[in-house]
Every structure is written in C-alpha cells, then in structure tokens.
Amino acid sequence: MEEYENKISEKQEDDNIYVYSDGYAEEGNADERDSEEDSTGGEELDTSGPNYSQAEKTHTVRRDEGRQNGSDRTLPFLLMLGVLSNPIEGWKSVRRSGINPDETLKGCFYPMLAFYALSRFSVFFYTSRVDFGQLFIDVLISIVSFFFGYFCILILLRTLMPAGVKDNITSNFGKVFIIISLSSLCMFFSFLEIMPMLWDLLIFLPLWTIYVVCRGARFFRFPEHKQISCTGILCFVIVGVPCLLMWGFEKYFK
C-alpha cells in the first residue's frame, strides 16, 4: 500500500515538471518583441532625434554663462535712467541685474563724468573771450571732485554709519548705488553747464538725485530707530562731498 502511494506521488511530481525547449524560449522572446512592436506601431524607437531634456539643460547652462559674461544684463546707463524715471522699480532692477561696481563705473559713471567735463567747454558758445588756462583748471576740478569724491564717500559712510549698516553700504549693491547716484549728479550738472540761460530752473535738478537716494535707502534696511538719520547721512554725503570738493578746489586754485 505504501509503495503504491509513493508511485502516485512520484507520478504527480513528474507531471508538474515543465521542460521548456530552446525553440519555445525563442518563440516566447519573439512574442515579447511582437508585443513591443505593436505598442510602438510596428516601428523601432527613433533615438536619433534630439534629447529635449538635455537640450533644455544645455540652454540653461549657456544662459547662465551669458549672464556671468554680462551679455544678458541691462546697460548701466539704462539702469540709471530707470532709477531716475521710477526710483523704486529702478533700484529693484539694479538689484535683480546683479551688476558689479566695475561694470557700473565703465558703463555709466565714466561716460557721465566725461560728458560733464566736455560740457564745461560749452562756455565757448556763450562767452567771446575765454581763458584757456582757467578753463582747463575748471575741467580738471570737475573730474577730480567726482572721481575722488566716490572714494571719499565710501570712507565717510563706513565711518559715519552704524556698525550693522556698514557691510550693506560697502557691498556690491551699495557701491553701485553710490555710483549711479553720482552719475545722475554729473548729468544734471552737465545740463547746468550746457544751458546756463535755464539756470533758475535747472538748479533744482540735483534735488532729484536726493529724492532718488531717499527712495533707494529702504533697500539698505536701516534700523528702525535710525532710519531717518542714516538716510540723511546717505543723502548729505553722496550729494555734498562732490560739491564741497569742487567748492574747495575752486577756492584754492582761483
């Protein structure tokens, strides 16, 4: 009886063993390939086309490189005009542009300083007799007052501002802020030299620089209890230093 049961169990085990031949395996693989072809419409996948994810990544890298090289940045002179037309949005654009002080000096301050120096020669159109020696001294005074005034402003602000604000003033944005403000002052002084007949009206143009500085002072995040005093120091130093230097040089050399 036990031998009969063992034979039955061995027969069941033999019946449960499935041996797949190589031909059947190849046939199964062929069925899988057929199913893949059906899902793709009977055509092979085209891998020769562009990889759009890689292309997007490459475009992003190139765009970032372009920003680092300054190709996508707004010209400093246009940033200055934006600040003068709309101070709040203009200063926001300056912050977003990430422009550095060297670019602002070359693209805005130096051209405006040269324009101011050339505007001093407009005296030839309004005066019959011009002292060339004195004119040369006036041009030199104009250049020196603003050029060295920029460095004097940085030194004075580091000395007069509270400890928690000094780093903001001497940051890249702080330096660009000072450079753009001085550039606007150079432009307004140029208009005064070119159109002396409108002196009574144009004399108020430098006040717009003070207004622009006041509106932009919020981006330095002065302490609440020192906001008015810090803003007053910022306006006085930026506008007053070039004027005081010019006045002092003229008194000394004339």
Side-chain angles (χ1 to χ4, degrees), residues 7-212:
K7 290 181 180 180
I8 292 175
S9 61
E10 291 177 358
K11 185 177 180 181
Q12 289 177 351
E13 290 177 358
D14 294 338
D15 292 339
N16 290 332
I17 297 174
Y18 294 91
V19 179
Y20 297 97
S21 62
D22 295 338
Y24 183 81
E26 293 178 357
E27 183 179 357
N29 294 333
D31 292 338
E32 292 178 358
R33 289 194 296 267
D34 293 339
S35 62
E36 291 178 358
E37 291 179 358
D38 292 339
S39 63
T40 58
E43 298 179 357
E44 295 183 357
L45 292 176
D46 184 11
T47 60
S48 62
N51 189 338
Y52 290 101
S53 61
Q54 184 66 25
E56 179 67 21
K57 182 178 179 181
T58 304
H59 176 70
T60 304
V61 171
R62 290 179 178 176
R63 182 175 57 190
D64 294 339
E65 290 178 355
R67 287 179 177 177
Q68 293 178 358
N69 295 330
S71 58
D72 293 341
R73 292 178 178 175
T74 307
L75 294 176
F77 178 74
L78 297 180
L79 290 175
M80 184 194 70
L81 294 181
V83 169
L84 293 177
S85 61
N86 190 344
I88 295 297
E89 295 299 327
W91 289 125
K92 288 181 180 179
S93 299
V94 173
R95 287 177 63 90
R96 287 193 295 264
S97 67
I99 192 170
N100 58 56
D102 292 335
E103 293 176 344
T104 313
L105 287 171
K106 296 176 183 178
C108 186
F109 182 64
Y110 293 155
M112 288 293 97
L113 187 56
F115 178 61
Y116 178 44
L118 292 175
S119 68
R120 301 300 295 261
F121 290 95
S122 62
V123 68
F124 286 106
F125 298 98
Y126 307 110
T127 307
S128 58
R129 300 180 62 181
V130 178
D131 186 355
F132 289 96
Q134 188 60 48
L135 179 60
F136 178 77
I137 292 175
D138 292 339
V139 172
L140 189 61
I141 287 174
S142 302
I143 296 174
V144 172
S145 298
F146 277 92
F147 183 78
F148 287 103
Y150 167 67
F151 299 100
C152 293
I153 289 171
L154 291 176
I155 295 173
L156 287 175
L157 289 179
R158 282 192 63 88
T159 304
L160 299 176
M161 286 294 182
V165 182
K166 294 179 180 180
D167 294 336
N168 294 334
I169 294 296
T170 57
S171 64
N172 282 341
F173 174 73
K175 293 178 181 179
V176 171
F177 184 94
I178 296 171
I179 293 169
I180 290 180
S181 301
L182 288 178
S183 300
S184 67
L185 203 61
C186 285
M187 185 175 66
F188 293 148
F189 281 1
S190 300
F191 293 156
L192 289 172
E193 295 294 334
I194 295 173
M195 296 176 286
M197 72 290 295
L198 300 177
W199 178 273
D200 295 337
L201 297 176
L202 299 180
I203 191 60
F204 296 102
L205 283 178
L207 296 177
W208 190 255
T209 298
I210 298 176
Y211 173 74
V212 167

